[in-house]
Amino acid sequence: MPATLAHIPLWDDDDRRRPVAALPDPEALIRNLARGILEVRAGVREPAQLARFLAQEPYRALVQRATQAAQARRRSGSAPVRPAISILSVRWTAPAADAIEAAVVVRPGDRIRAITMRLEAIGSRWRATDIVVI
């Protein structure tokens, strides 16, 4: 029997904060999250694929935005199209012992956008607690 989303543990019970240095370099995750967020919004990736890296509130917001985008595509009769995403720059800093804040400049197609995110060292992994697509 296939697992449903309700049976997949998306968030660990371990919510202990860790120092930034206790987790791996976050740059690859920052790049992959930025790309994944744009793909979810474009309708070519399921939000659940990013759930383990997002806190509950950013996950809910991403699901809501993906739902709105899917409804708009249905109304206009257009199909999801995988965007050609170029990561132009990634900058991050550690404003606290257990968190980093990052800014990613991306080019999905012919537009340039910025994505900001806060990643916190929670449990055994980085978890995005805030994401803004500008």
Side-chain angles (χ1 to χ4, degrees), residues 8-26:
I8 299 171
L10 300 178
W11 296 280
D12 295 341
D13 291 330
D14 182 3
D15 61 355
R16 292 174 289 168
R17 305 291 177 162
R18 304 273 193 253
V20 168
L23 294 180
D25 184 341

Side-chain angles (χ1 to χ4, degrees), residues 20 23-32 90 92 100 119 126:
V20 168
L23 294 180
D25 184 341
E27 186 154 340
L29 176 60
I30 294 166
R31 288 173 175 276
N32 289 334
V90 176
W92 62 274
I100 63 163
L119 299 177
W126 291 109

Side-chain angles (χ1 to χ4, degrees), residues 35-46 66 69-70 72-74 76-85 107-110:
R35 185 177 307 280
I37 288 164
L38 293 174
E39 289 174 351
V40 167
R41 291 171 63 131
V44 296
R45 179 186 290 258
E46 290 296 321
R73 280 190 301 276
R74 274 194 298 277
S76 69
S78 62
V81 176
R82 181 171 301 279
I85 300 168
R107 181 181 295 136
D110 57 355

Side-chain angles (χ1 to χ4, degrees), residues 37-61:
I37 288 164
L38 293 174
E39 289 174 351
V40 167
R41 291 171 63 131
V44 296
R45 179 186 290 258
E46 290 296 321
Q49 294 177 348
L50 303 179
R52 68 183 295 217
F53 302 108
L54 303 176
Q56 290 182 18
E57 189 53 41
Y59 179 72
R60 283 189 195 110

Side-chain angles (χ1 to χ4, degrees), residues 47-119:
Q49 294 177 348
L50 303 179
R52 68 183 295 217
F53 302 108
L54 303 176
Q56 290 182 18
E57 189 53 41
Y59 179 72
R60 283 189 195 110
L62 184 62
V63 168
Q64 181 179 13
R65 178 65 174 96
T67 301
Q68 291 169 346
Q71 290 169 347
R73 280 190 301 276
R74 274 194 298 277
R75 282 192 299 272
S76 69
S78 62
V81 176
R82 181 171 301 279
I85 300 168
S86 299
I87 308 257
L88 303 178
S89 71
V90 176
R91 301 282 187 268
W92 62 274
T93 186
D98 63 349
I100 63 163
E101 292 178 349
V104 184
V105 178
V106 295
R107 181 181 295 136
D110 57 355
R111 296 183 66 185
I112 293 181
R113 305 194 80 150
I115 300 173
T116 62
M117 60 184 82
R118 179 179 175 91
L119 299 177

